[in-house]
Amino acid sequence: NAATALAYVLCGAAFPILLGGGWWDLILSGVFSLVVFFMVINSGKWGPLSGEWLPLSTAFVAGILAGISRFYLPEINVVLIVLSAVLILIPGYGISVGVVEIVSKHISSGLSNLLTGLIYLFKQFFGGWLGVSAVGLIVTMPEATTAVAIDSVWLWVGIPTIIIGLGIALQTPYRDFIWACLGMLIAFLGTFYGSEWVGVNFGNLLGMVLLVVFTSTWSRKTKRPPSIVLVPAFILLVSGSIGFRGLAAFAAGNMQAGSQEFLQMFIVALTLAAGLVIGVTLIKPTKKV
């Protein structure tokens, strides 16, 4: 539990660095991630339906805490803080796997994963929106101010932090931990530099291709399932947070931005599916991906 709690804090605190948040966003995201962790590990005590309510309840509490903080700190980004606090629970993996399965002609399981992920995402957004709105009904929020974004040089601290946090959260075996972290780093660097050179969609494609080639090579050398290294990096690349931001834009009345964000979520999933197919074509793993 201590290691998993640390993973929640590391991922939650580092995520605002990637999205241009401020220092208060980072601090509050880390603290609220710990609150979400305690809700998750104690959810079994709340009854048989606690799992169904977990995405809504965790986001609701994070929304209340973010709303209260916004009253005292007008410069914070409430959406970013709520998103970071529930980051490990964001269903981007399920959504992207659903799209990959549909592309691979596994229509039934693909639709099931896709719909399950989208419903989970809607629950999270609705919970966060309810929490922030509840605070707004009680107190009058001050006018928002613009915070100074964390310097981009901290990105190279934030990425290793998220990588280590994901490795811990997914309970990666000790002997595979370094390889899983290396796979995540390769995927990120491919995505980052591919986006810089050509564009975001090419970056996602390149990152996935490099990841699959690396995991297939690792699987051939170690005779171990490639999923051990592939899944953590795939989760790092998936697009659930984009969908969350899209829903937030819709709620704020910005239909154009919301539509673009939501569409981008599916485009990311499709480029990852294409990257998976290309990577497996280049080097086939000894075991099934």
Side-chain angles (χ1 to χ4, degrees):
N1 282 344
T4 307
L6 176 63
Y8 271 72
V9 174
L10 290 177
C11 292
F15 195 62
I17 301 176
L18 275 65
L19 296 186
W23 286 107
W24 274 117
D25 297 328
L26 182 154
I27 294 169
L28 294 174
S29 296
V31 174
F32 299 163
S33 296
L34 191 60
V35 175
V36 169
F37 163 76
F38 282 113
M39 292 183 66
V40 170
I41 62 170
N42 289 294
S43 61
K45 303 176 183 177
W46 302 341
L49 295 179
S50 59
E52 294 291 331
W53 287 97
L54 193 62
L56 190 146
S57 60
T58 51
F60 177 72
V61 171
I64 288 178
L65 294 174
I68 294 172
S69 302
R70 166 79 169 72
F71 180 75
Y72 296 100
L73 299 166
E75 69 271 22
I76 65 173
N77 186 330
V78 171
V79 174
L80 178 56
I81 290 173
V82 174
L83 174 58
S84 300
V86 299
L87 180 64
I88 289 184
L89 304 179
I90 291 286
Y93 179 77
I95 293 172
S96 295
V97 166
V99 173
V100 170
E101 289 181 322
I102 291 172
V103 171
S104 304
K105 299 181 180 180
H106 297 95
I107 306 298
S108 180
S109 61
L111 286 175
S112 177
N113 279 320
L114 179 60
L115 290 175
T116 300
L118 287 174
I119 291 171
Y120 198 101
L121 184 64
F122 274 102
K123 287 180 180 180
Q124 286 185 310
F125 168 75
F126 189 62
W129 177 78
L130 277 178
V132 175
S133 299
V135 176
L137 291 175
I138 299 173
V139 298
T140 301
M141 291 293 179
E143 186 176 348
T145 59
T146 303
V148 177
I150 299 171
D151 195 284
S152 58
V153 71
W154 286 95
L155 176 68
W156 303 108
V157 176
I159 285 300
T161 302
I162 285 185
I163 286 175
I164 294 171
L166 277 177
I168 297 172
L170 296 173
Q171 299 181 353
T172 306
Y174 287 117
R175 63 173 172 170
D176 302 319
F177 191 85
I178 293 178
W179 298 110
C181 289
L182 182 57
M184 286 187 273
L185 181 61
I186 289 171
F188 171 78
L189 291 176
T191 302
F192 181 81
Y193 286 109
S195 300
E196 290 286 320
W197 296 334
V198 180
V200 173
N201 293 329
F202 176 79
N204 293 325
L205 178 66
L206 178 61
M208 191 63 185
V209 170
L210 293 177
L211 170 63
V212 175
V213 169
F214 171 74
T215 54
S216 297
T217 304
W218 176 84
S219 177
R220 282 174 172 268
K221 296 291 185 182
T222 61
K223 309 300 181 185
R224 289 171 63 70
S227 58
I228 295 173
V229 173
L230 180 67
V231 170
F234 189 82
I235 290 175
L236 183 66
L237 296 178
V238 292
S239 49
S241 62
I242 301 175
F244 193 101
R245 297 201 306 272
L247 291 173
F250 280 132
N254 193 339
M255 304 303 291
Q256 182 177 0
S259 300
Q260 290 175 346
E261 292 276 12
F262 221 69
L263 178 61
Q264 183 63 26
M265 179 179 69
F266 290 100
I267 292 175
V268 169
L270 287 171
T271 55
L272 294 180
L276 180 63
V277 172
I278 294 172
V280 171
T281 302
L282 292 174
I283 300 182
K284 286 183 169 59
T286 54
K287 296 179 180 290
K288 187 176 180 181
V289 176

